[in-house]
Amino acid sequence: MSPTTADKVWLIVPLFNEAEVIGDVIREAHRSFPRIVCIDDGSRDNSANVARDAGAVVIQHPINLGQGAALQTGFDYVLNNTAAQYVITFDADGQHDPIEALAMVERAKQEGLAIIYGSRFLDNRTKPGLLKQIVLKTAVLVTRLTVGLKLTDAHNGLRLIRRDALAQINIRQDGMAHASEIVSQLAQTDLPWAEAPVHIRYTDYSRAKGQSLLNSVNILVDLLMR
């Protein structure tokens, strides 16, 4: 990515108690994205300092408000303080590959896309467990029924959003259903979009942190409550 292009892309990374891995995540991402903002959502560990030492801009919530609120804080920061043309939402636990995020940027520029949703179901590289597949497919079905958008993966944390689309997002869901809310609001923009195949790198850490049975149940509960 050229220096001029790099200034126009910001990575937004919400984090909560990720001190164990966030330094490595930021350093890996920095090879492709020099502009990274981490929203420390009330962590009780040293996450904010580790992210800052790794080179990210860090915004801290004094208490845990949820990933939806953390993302909105990041969106507001980029819109109010930068001239970024695109943002990439990026998980803090090492599941995403920055090279795939970089490919999203190049594709968006070439094809004039405002939104690119990452999908782990467009190829066979990602191997989620059976329960996770059921939850994610349920989220896809709910999205199709309520929004009318034919996505294959509605709860993927890796996505690209162009500035004009970003300005139309106002996340109110603080639970896991914020992902469906983002999709719903982006669909209402009628801006051009696509899906891109991405590999979710499930590790022992990410499975323990965010892929538990309880987390999957919470996604279903939030979707039903909506």
Side-chain angles (χ1 to χ4, degrees):
M1 187 184 294
S2 69
T4 301
T5 302
D7 288 339
K8 295 182 178 180
V9 183
W10 277 75
L11 232 63
I12 297 179
V13 185
L15 63 122
F16 177 68
N17 293 342
E18 307 279 3
E20 181 179 338
V21 296
I22 189 61
D24 289 339
V25 170
I26 297 301
R27 283 186 287 270
E28 181 188 15
H30 253 153
R31 297 170 193 163
S32 301
F33 298 95
R35 307 285 184 258
I36 301 175
V37 57
C38 286
I39 299 83
D40 178 40
D41 191 34
S43 292
R44 297 183 296 272
D45 63 7
N46 200 35
S47 291
N49 289 332
V50 173
R52 193 177 291 112
D53 290 344
V57 173
V58 176
I59 302 171
Q60 290 181 267
H61 288 170
I63 60 173
N64 180 247
L65 299 175
Q67 193 172 50
L71 284 173
Q72 188 62 54
T73 294
F75 295 165
D76 291 342
Y77 173 84
V78 169
L79 288 171
N80 295 328
N81 297 281
T82 81
Q85 184 177 0
Y86 303 101
V87 300
I88 301 282
T89 63
F90 201 85
D91 287 350
D93 57 7
Q95 290 191 100
H96 297 148
D97 186 343
I99 299 302
E100 294 186 331
L102 186 60
M104 287 183 171
V105 176
E106 298 304 324
R107 182 179 175 187
K109 292 191 299 180
Q110 292 171 8
E111 299 181 20
L113 297 170
I115 306 143
I116 300 180
Y117 302 98
S119 174
R120 77 201 84 191
F121 297 120
L122 290 178
D123 60 29
N124 296 318
R125 290 177 295 163
T126 303
K127 307 295 183 185
L130 178 60
L131 175 61
K132 192 67 177 177
Q133 289 190 55
I134 293 172
V135 170
L136 292 170
K137 295 296 185 181
T138 300
V140 166
L141 178 60
V142 171
T143 300
R144 291 188 179 188
L145 291 175
T146 59
V147 180
L149 212 59
K150 294 183 178 180
L151 294 177
T152 61
D153 190 351
H155 268 262
N156 197 309
L158 182 56
R159 59 177 81 80
L160 172 144
I161 308 172
R162 200 171 64 193
R163 190 180 187 93
D164 53 344
L166 189 70
Q168 300 184 58
I169 297 177
N170 181 23
I171 303 172
R172 292 176 294 273
Q173 289 280 344
D174 56 2
M176 295 306 297
H178 75 273
S180 295
E181 185 178 28
I182 291 174
V183 171
S184 176
Q185 293 183 9
L186 289 175
Q188 293 175 36
T189 69
D190 289 325
L191 291 167
W193 65 276
E195 282 189 295
V198 299
H199 177 213
I200 302 300
R201 303 183 295 195
Y202 292 121
T203 64
D204 290 342
Y205 176 85
S206 68
R207 289 182 185 278
K209 178 75 178 181
Q211 306 303 323
S212 66
L213 173 61
L214 178 60
N215 187 59
S216 297
V217 170
N218 284 339
I219 292 175
L220 285 178
V221 170
D222 280 346
L223 286 168
L224 293 173
M225 290 297 291
R226 289 184 71 238

